Amino acid sequence: MTREPRFGALAADARWQAAWEAANSFATTDTADKPKAYILEMFPYPSGRIHMGHVRNYAMGDVLARFKRMTGHDVLHPMGWDAFGMPAENAAMEKGVHPGGWTRDNIASMRGQLKRLGLAIDWSRELATCDPDYYGQEQALFLDLFAAGLVTRKESYVNWDPVDMTVLANEQVIDGRGWRSGALVEKKKLSQWFLKITDFADDLLEGLGGLDSWPDKVRLMQENWIGKSQGLEFSFKLVGGAAGFDVFTTRPDTLFGASFAAISPDHPMAERMAQDAPELAEFIAECRRQGTSAEQLETGEKLGFDTGLTVEHPLDPALHLPVWVVNYVLMDYGTGAIFGCPAHDQRDLDFARKYELPVYRVIADSDETAHHFTGDEAYTGPGKLVNSHFLDGMTIDEAKAAIVSRAEHEGWGKGTTVWRLRDWGVSRQRYWGTPIPFIHCHSCGTVPVPKDQLPVVLPEDVDFSISGNPLDRHPTWKHVRCPSCGGDAVRETDTLDTFVDSSWYFLRFASSPSDRPFDPDVVRRWLPVDQYIGGVEHAILHLLYARFWTRALHKMGMIDIVEPFASLFTQGMVTHETYSREQGEGLPPLYFTPDEITRTADGATLTADAAAVQVGRVIKMSKSKKNVVDPDAILDQYGADAARWFMLSDSPPERDLPWSEAGIEGAWRFVQRLWRLFGDTENIGDGGEDKALARKLHQAIAGVGTDIEALGFNKAVAKIHALANDIEKAKPSATRAEACLTLIRLVAPMMPHLAEEAWAALPAQQRVTTLIADAAWPTADPALLVDDEVTIAIQMAGKLRDTMTLAKGLDKDTVEAAALARPRIAELLGGATPKKVIVVPDRLVNIVP
RNA sequence: GCGGACGUGGCGAAAUCGGUAGACGCAGCAGACUUAAAAUCUGCCGGCCUAGUGUCAUGCGGGUUCAAGUCCCGCCGUCCGCACCA
């Protein structure tokens, strides 16, 4: 092949992508003697086009996958589509297209875009969750979960749009109104399917402790979400003998500080009393109105309604506490009722001060032990119990234990654990999702669809021009025979939450037999995923649900592992500055896209009228701010390798990456610079060695490898730049020629097309494999990783005063003597003897005068 | 309100264990090559001054240490998550 003076990225991209496909380069080898590496990026939703965030995510995963191949791993690196969900139905309603057609078209075009990036993906494993082959197996797993008692049906509220006759997701409710119809949203009670994730609350919490290679931030977010609280649950008796209600507290130690009891406006007792108390009914209605408005929550004013009822204090029946209905008690946490201890809870104190209720001190951290508590700041710190009868003098923990044991002994309460985590409601009253495989029969009740009748396939002939769930309205689909009695019955018309689809796809990538969800033996080989990469927006729900499914399948004996993702990495966003002009009072600014703009050193102008525009902050690329850059346009202009290189450069991968035209141009120039260097693999000069360059080369081999392994791509990029600089500056030698050759392999994971092109242009004897995709990562020579001379800093009183170059590994006395012999140091010391000399071998000498 | 992360040149950032702060890139400046431009190459590129192997500098103020961007305490700011969780 004749070597072109410039690297033709477009032709090369297509050529090597075809070559990899022809050679089936990225299929797993399934050779047992190689260690496995399962590299997975979160699969995309097929929204239409890929965006720069995808490019960054998949570039990172790809570098790691290619590096693992080069270092002798059997790599599983698959791609698929999270293909069910609401946008497809929205498109159907807006554009009159079919959700399935819209989704499949999007997949086709996005697949094409991803392939242009040259990703080392085993495309034979591609899957889409909207494919019956996939969701049919999901239905089978759902039936298994049902059989294992992990699926239940419960009544639950949904947001109901009375105009569109549809259920709305929380994010579709804006200021209490449906986003499309603008109608006031109602709460409607429906019978829905739930997965019992709360059965695993403790396991999911404990399991976080073992996830060492997950970001602390994500573990903390999951911990808070699961929200374990331990405390006491007990019953209040109403004065007068009527049945009371249960309360939960995490502070049973403060029980003698109780001055009122409070129940939620949604508490059944409050609702019952409201039936013959119009004022209470009005108060409850008022609380519910406020609940929807975000600003009201911000201000957080405590409101209450005195029911006139009183309850007995459990440890002192003579003491009666008033019962209030209170807006800050939530029905869906704990028991929906509390006792108020204003001295030691800020919310209770705010409330008590407003309604002039008594405030009793029961915890003291100083000499101040007065029963009457003053001030507007509750004391929530440590201390000893006071004014609390048999608890006096105990620590908080001792008092908690004493109360719990007394309550349990006397039978009026018990120690309990309360979780913030709720069971996972998976019913969606929508068409474009996995049909829930159940049948409702008048005589037999709710019956699972027999497995041999799976998949329950979505009907294609659906109509989105009328409102409501198309499955429910479909003329024939839902009418079936009961599998149990053979009588008339109807199908469940709810579909599964799309988070179910993404809770097990990593298993199906590893193994996808046609007759069952996966083959346990194959799953055993590949799972867990060694490195999972995706956006932090999935820190809670997706990652928690996937962990739950893995544990559930483990409990059912279907898989060996309990955690699906051994190592998790959450990457930052791609950002861009914004360009806008003010449109005057009360109007939003007018935004411009980057291609409408001419950027100069100190500002930006609109190309069309050459007048200035305002350059705004660097923020996440979004359509509304128009600060988006289309990956296809970048690939057309610069090719895949420049785009990949820029994505990996400069910013640490967990941080946001500011996209800039100058940045991608810099990447492009570097691609060309490397191309020129790669032409020098035979230029050996006089054939001599260059020891200094050899060191730099081998340090780079080791350093770049370490950085890639740790996902420190920006550091790997910097080291490659530095090496390229060193090679360019070096005189031709055998070492330099070898460095040029080795550099091709060092950049191969990041710039695979350039590397293949350079590899193919090498003389045959220099190529050890046909494709560089099959080449091995170079080995660093340990002897060359350390320098034999070191520069040692000489400090006086911590300030740098001189440096000296010495042989590596000299003992402290020699180094100290050398430092003190330096003329500059002698001059500064002026003949005085230093008080102290600290020597850090091979690093520095610090002289304390 | 609670929890967390972060704060280093004009910009993105390095500094792996407390040991020479600013590697590498972008932008900029000066020069070479060129009829010219692009490309390419060379050099410079935190502040201050008395111009030195000077001095100050890692958000601000303290502390520990021979030595602090790094550890500790207190502020300020930015971003993220959760939010009346009993």
Side-chain angles (χ1 to χ4, degrees):
Chain A
M1 182 187 298
T2 331
R3 204 168 196 288
E4 300 292 332
R6 283 175 72 78
F7 172 62
L10 252 51
D13 287 359
R15 181 180 319 127
W16 298 110
Q17 285 159 22
W20 296 324
E21 193 162 334
N24 199 18
S25 290
F26 307 120
T28 58
T29 56
D30 295 303
T31 10
D33 57 344
K34 280 188 185 177
K36 65 98 181 176
Y38 186 175
I39 311 298
L40 184 65
E41 300 95 60
M42 291 180 185
F43 67 165
Y45 177 78
S47 56
R49 311 281 299 160
I50 63 165
H51 51 69
M52 282 298 175
H54 291 127
V55 177
R56 194 177 187 202
N57 192 179
Y58 300 129
M60 288 180 194
D62 199 55
V63 172
L64 191 62
R66 286 177 178 271
F67 176 75
K68 287 288 183 187
R69 269 180 60 78
M70 291 182 84
T71 50
H73 294 77
D74 188 12
V75 174
L76 172 54
H77 187 220
M79 181 58 72
W81 310 94
D82 188 15
F84 276 136
M86 284 197 311
E89 292 193 33
N90 295 338
M93 285 185 273
E94 277 159 24
K95 299 174 191 154
V97 294
H98 189 277
W102 181 84
T103 303
R104 287 178 196 107
D105 287 351
N106 287 348
I107 288 175
S109 59
M110 289 173 75
R111 182 193 299 117
Q113 287 187 293
L114 287 183
K115 286 197 170 180
R116 291 191 64 191
L117 290 172
L119 303 177
I121 279 171
D122 182 355
W123 285 102
S124 72
R125 293 174 187 255
E126 180 182 359
L127 60 81
T129 57
C130 65
D131 190 332
D133 287 346
Y134 185 83
Y135 71 70
Q137 298 303 337
E138 182 167 307
Q139 289 167 339
L141 287 174
F142 192 77
L143 293 176
D144 292 336
L145 289 166
F146 177 78
L150 293 171
V151 177
T152 53
R153 253 165 100 69
K154 300 191 243 191
E155 295 270 294
S156 168
Y157 283 103
V158 293
N159 302 308
W160 179 256
D161 185 323
V163 171
D164 277 356
M165 304 283 284
T166 184
V167 173
L168 299 178
N170 283 333
E171 57 266 29
Q172 294 175 313
V173 181
I174 296 152
D175 293 333
R177 293 173 180 275
W179 66 338
R180 195 180 298 277
S181 69
L184 271 177
V185 171
E186 299 166 3
K187 291 276 171 196
K188 188 173 171 179
K189 214 173 214 182
L190 291 180
S191 188
Q192 309 217 57
W193 294 95
F194 284 82
L195 287 176
K196 291 171 78 176
I197 190 171
T198 53
D199 281 12
F200 293 82
D202 234 333
D203 291 344
L204 289 169
L205 184 65
E206 292 301 311
L208 290 173
L211 296 176
D212 304 327
S213 300
W214 280 40
D216 290 344
K217 177 180 161 172
V218 173
R219 290 195 290 178
L220 189 74
M221 282 163 75
Q222 293 218 348
E223 191 182 318
N224 291 339
W225 187 262
I226 294 168
K228 181 179 187 175
S229 308
Q230 281 171 310
L232 173 72
E233 190 174 315
F234 68 94
S235 234
F236 270 130
K237 267 190 246 159
L238 283 175
V239 174
F245 52 90
D246 291 339
V247 299
F248 172 74
T249 179
T250 55
R251 293 297 303 274
D253 52 305
T254 65
L255 191 50
F256 284 108
S259 58
F260 63 96
I263 62 175
S264 164
D266 297 317
H267 197 282
M269 203 171 90
E271 289 180 344
R272 213 177 320 119
M273 285 190 286
Q275 283 166 13
D276 7 86
E279 283 180 2
L280 177 56
E282 174 49 33
F283 176 77
I284 291 173
E286 175 66 22
C287 291
R288 285 187 185 158
R289 268 197 295 283
Q290 294 201 338
T292 55
S293 143
E295 305 97 276
Q296 289 284 353
L297 274 177
E298 292 289 327
T299 61
E301 195 190 355
K302 309 287 182 280
L303 295 172
F305 183 94
D306 188 354
T307 63
L309 299 174
T310 52
V311 290
E312 289 174 8
H313 193 285
L315 290 163
D316 182 2
L319 182 61
H320 293 176
L321 305 175
V323 178
W324 289 66
V325 177
V326 158
N327 68 339
Y328 67 88
V329 175
L330 307 175
M331 189 58 221
D332 55 3
Y333 183 78
T335 60
I338 61 163
F339 74 79
C341 175
H344 306 294
D345 182 289
Q346 191 59 48
R347 290 155 303 159
D348 292 346
L349 185 63
D350 294 344
F351 182 76
R353 290 295 184 227
K354 177 162 179 180
Y355 293 99
E356 297 178 346
L357 296 162
V359 182
Y360 305 126
R361 178 197 316 274
V362 288
I363 310 283
D365 69 329
S366 65
D367 296 340
E368 178 56 74
T369 59
H371 196 208
H372 180 71
F373 186 92
T374 53
D376 288 324
E377 209 166 306
Y379 180 72
T380 55
K384 299 263 186 196
L385 273 283
V386 292
N387 308 315
S388 296
H389 306 263
F390 66 95
L391 301 175
D392 284 352
M394 291 185 186
T395 64
I396 291 173
D397 285 341
E398 288 162 357
K400 280 180 180 171
I403 291 270
V404 169
S405 91
R406 179 136 171 181
E408 288 178 351
H409 184 70
E410 294 176 358
W412 50 269
K414 63 177 198 308
T416 328
T417 302
V418 163
W419 304 87
R420 188 187 172 280
L421 184 70
R422 304 293 140 79
D423 276 333
W424 173 16
V426 292
S427 284
R428 296 292 181 271
Q429 292 71 34
R430 307 204 166 269
Y431 165 71
W432 193 233
T434 300
I436 297 178
F438 278 86
I439 289 167
H440 302 288
C441 167
H442 289 296
S443 33
C444 310
T446 301
V447 185
V449 173
K451 277 200 177 176
D452 59 14
Q453 290 176 28
L454 295 181
V456 176
V457 178
L458 281 174
E460 286 285 320
D461 52 332
V462 285
D463 184 0
F464 282 89
S465 62
I466 12 172
S467 48
N469 180 354
L471 288 182
D472 205 27
R473 280 195 329 263
H474 193 278
T476 56
W477 182 79
K478 72 175 177 180
H479 300 288
V480 288
R481 298 266 146 225
C482 170
S484 174
C485 69
D488 284 346
V490 289
R491 283 193 190 285
E492 171 64 63
T493 58
D494 284 356
T495 52
L496 288 171
D497 180 3
T498 57
F499 276 120
V500 175
D501 307 334
S502 52
S503 289
W504 71 286
Y505 76 107
F506 42 89
L507 301 172
R508 186 78 181 167
F509 272 145
S511 163
S512 53
S514 57
D515 58 340
R516 53 202 163 136
F518 50 81
D519 178 335
D521 290 332
V522 180
V523 162
R524 191 170 296 123
R525 164 157 169 79
W526 287 110
L527 272 287
V529 172
D530 295 282
Q531 183 65 60
Y532 197 34
I533 308 177
V536 74
E537 67 273 17
H538 292 114
I540 299 175
L541 295 182
H542 162 57
L543 290 166
L544 190 64
Y545 293 151
R547 293 182 62 221
F548 158 62
W549 268 70
T550 304
R551 279 170 190 272
L553 297 179
H554 173 80
K555 192 181 176 191
M556 287 152 51
M558 296 173 74
I559 53 178
D560 295 339
I561 52 162
V562 290
E563 288 292 343
F565 312 121
S567 180
L568 172 72
F569 188 83
T570 54
Q571 105 264 18
M573 297 180 299
V574 181
T575 57
H576 196 287
E577 52 188 19
T578 56
Y579 309 104
S580 64
R581 274 181 189 161
E582 293 303 325
Q583 296 197 96
E585 284 291 309
L587 289 170
L590 184 64
Y591 287 99
F592 302 101
T593 62
D595 10 306
E596 296 175 284
I597 295 297
T598 306
R599 192 75 174 85
T600 58
D602 50 352
T605 56
L606 187 62
T607 314
D609 62 12
V613 295
Q614 203 177 331
V615 178
R617 286 184 46 202
V618 178
I619 53 170
K620 180 185 182 179
M621 286 189 180
S622 82
K623 280 180 190 159
S624 65
K625 298 288 191 291
K626 290 203 178 176
N627 60 338
V628 287
V629 174
D630 176 33
D632 262 356
I634 297 301
L635 294 178
D636 287 342
Q637 199 175 348
Y638 302 102
D641 290 343
R644 293 167 59 116
W645 185 253
F646 180 51
M647 280 293 158
L648 300 163
S649 304
D650 292 351
S651 288
E654 69 278 10
R655 253 184 258 177
D656 290 350
L657 173 76
W659 178 274
S660 72
E661 192 69 17
I664 182 71
E665 278 171 11
W668 165 248
R669 284 197 299 269
F670 188 62
V671 168
Q672 295 301 341
R673 216 174 118 203
L674 284 178
W675 178 248
R676 290 191 292 273
L677 263 188
F678 293 159
D680 270 356
T681 61
E682 290 178 294
N683 180 9
I684 59 166
D686 59 10
E689 299 277 305
D690 181 338
K691 198 77 186 275
L693 184 62
R695 282 216 167 79
K696 284 172 174 158
L697 172 64
H698 284 263
Q699 285 166 1
I701 293 169
V704 170
T706 309
D707 287 338
I708 291 178
E709 199 103 46
L711 308 183
F713 304 112
N714 57 322
K715 293 191 229 170
V717 163
K719 289 191 174 101
I720 287 171
H721 263 290
L723 179 63
N725 291 345
D726 291 334
I727 296 174
E728 278 180 345
K729 286 196 177 80
K731 286 204 185 73
S733 64
T735 310
R736 186 177 182 277
E738 189 212 314
C740 290
L741 184 60
T742 306
L743 186 59
I744 303 177
R745 280 190 282 169
L746 291 186
V747 302
M750 304 191 195
M751 300 196 269
H753 309 87
L754 173 71
E756 290 289 4
E757 191 86 352
W759 193 252
L762 291 175
Q765 77 278 6
Q766 289 192 328
R767 269 192 294 162
V768 286
T769 53
T770 311
L771 289 170
I772 200 169
D774 298 320
W777 187 253
T779 323
D781 178 353
L784 290 170
L785 292 182
V786 285
D787 294 312
D788 46 17
E789 282 190 330
V790 284
T791 304
I792 290 178
I794 307 173
Q795 298 180 337
M796 289 188 71
K799 287 193 195 306
L800 182 69
R801 288 293 179 239
D802 199 2
T803 59
M804 59 185 175
T805 302
L806 297 179
K808 194 181 165 71
L810 293 179
D811 63 78
K812 284 190 179 191
D813 292 342
T814 314
V815 174
E816 179 176 334
L820 291 172
R822 301 282 296 179
R824 177 163 162 79
I825 298 304
E827 181 194 323
L828 284 165
L829 276 172
T833 314
K835 242 187 249 165
K836 196 173 176 183
V837 178
I838 286 115
V839 179
V840 182
D842 295 339
R843 283 241 156 212
L844 61 66
V845 179
N846 190 13
I847 300 160
V848 187

